[in-house]
């Protein structure tokens, strides 16, 4: 039986192990680096005390703390770049170009589209997808991943805005309705990367066709990219606010996916064999 022709979809813990472990020929529970093997060992020990889902939540919480710390470091670098007029030298020319292609109809369409990534649209979208995935898989894992991923991106946005407090483009250059919070980072852009990314990841885990996986990843990337560009078009953010948000969102998404891989690793080994000796754990996870 090949990896692409595994058992039919199942729900719950067994379904996660059977259906989520492989993406194409890649085993997500295999760790080829010493760091990965060590993390898998630590998570395995914690899971035997707390349980798999509690350990997943703990791992994601630690990851969120790291992501917020990364935001603080990134904010300082970003501020230096802006002061030195490095990449920020693109901000004004790009905004000027965006103004030349505006039209009343396109402004309305873009405003409606960008609202999907806003404080109302994105939570509603995430809630609908989360409920669908959780019911189909009969598992709390999608709920945990999406909720904590979204919460982490929100906290990163708040931290970044508080640390930098960068002023948005002038209201005279922006399309109403105007926004008045700090400009760095673009919350819409950061949330779009994280939520679209984690949803695409969860969907890709259950797709058998390489073409379907590629299309899903491209659609998620296109959504995140166009949400970010819509913020620049509308004059609600500078280009560098969007670029920073994309980078921060990608870093946090990578941490969330890593946490899920660690969770899958422990789930797989709990089902396949009862492991009590730490040397055996290291051998089987390497």
């Amino acid at each position: 039986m090949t990896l692409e022709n595994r058992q039919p979809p199942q729900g719950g813990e067994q379904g996660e192990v059977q259906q989520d472990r492989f993406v194409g020929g890649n085993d997500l529970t295999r760790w080829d680096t010493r760091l990965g093997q060590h993390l898998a060992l630590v998570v395995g020990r914690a899971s035997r005390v707390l349980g798999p889902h509690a350990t997943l939540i703990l791992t994601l919480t630690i990851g969120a703390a790291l992501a917020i710390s990364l935001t603080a470091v990134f904010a300082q670098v970003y501020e230096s770049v802006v002061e030195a007029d490095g990449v920020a030298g693109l901000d004004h020319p790009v905004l000027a170009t965006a103004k030349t292609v505006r039209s009343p109809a396109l402004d309305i369409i873009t405003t409606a589209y960008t609202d999907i990534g806003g404080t109302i649209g994105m939570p509603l979208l995430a809630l609908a997808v989360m409920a669908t995935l959780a019911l189909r898989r009969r598992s709390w894992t999608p709920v945990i991943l999406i909720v904590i991923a979204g919460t982490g991106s929100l906290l990163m946005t708040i931290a970044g805005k508080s640390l930098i407090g960068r002023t948005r483009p002038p209201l005279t250059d922006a399309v109403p309705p105007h926004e008045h919070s700090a400009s760095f980072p673009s919350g819409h852009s950061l949330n779009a990367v994280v939520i679209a990314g984690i949803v695409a990841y969860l969907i890709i885990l259950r797709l058998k066709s390489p073409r379907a996986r590629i299309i899903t990843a491209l659609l998620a990337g296109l959504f995140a990219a166009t949400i970010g560009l819509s913020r620049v078009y509308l004059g609600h953010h500078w280009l560098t606010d969007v670029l920073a948000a994309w980078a921060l969102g990608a870093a946090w998404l990578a941490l969330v996916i890593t946490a899920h891989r660690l969770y899958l690793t422990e789930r797989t080994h709990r089902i396949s064999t009862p492991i009590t000796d730490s040397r055996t754990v290291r051998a089987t996870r390497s």
Side-chain angles (χ1 to χ4, degrees), residues 196-247:
I198 195 60
V199 168
Y201 168 73
L202 289 169
I203 292 173
I204 286 170
L205 290 177
R206 298 292 172 103
L207 295 176
K208 295 183 179 181
S209 165
R211 181 180 180 184
R213 291 195 292 264
I214 292 172
I215 291 174
T216 301
L218 288 176
L219 288 176
L222 181 62
F223 174 76
T226 51
I227 285 291
L229 293 176
S230 73
R231 308 303 290 161
V232 178
Y233 169 87
L234 294 170
H236 294 172
H237 284 284
W238 301 105
L239 174 64
T240 47
D241 300 326
V242 172
L243 295 176
W246 283 341

Side-chain angles (χ1 to χ4, degrees), residues 1-15:
M1 183 170 61
T2 65
L3 298 180
E4 291 298 312
N5 295 296
R6 303 187 298 277
Q7 297 178 14
Q10 304 174 53
E13 179 178 343
Q14 190 70 31

Side-chain angles (χ1 to χ4, degrees), residues 27 29 40 43 76 89 96 118 134 163 171 190 197 203 212 225 238 243 245 248-250 267 279-280 282 284:
D27 185 351
T29 67
V43 168
Q76 299 304 316
L163 287 167
L171 295 182
L190 202 160
I203 292 173
W238 301 105
L243 295 176
L248 289 170
R267 279 291 202 195
R279 289 172 298 179
T280 307
R282 291 191 185 95
T284 55

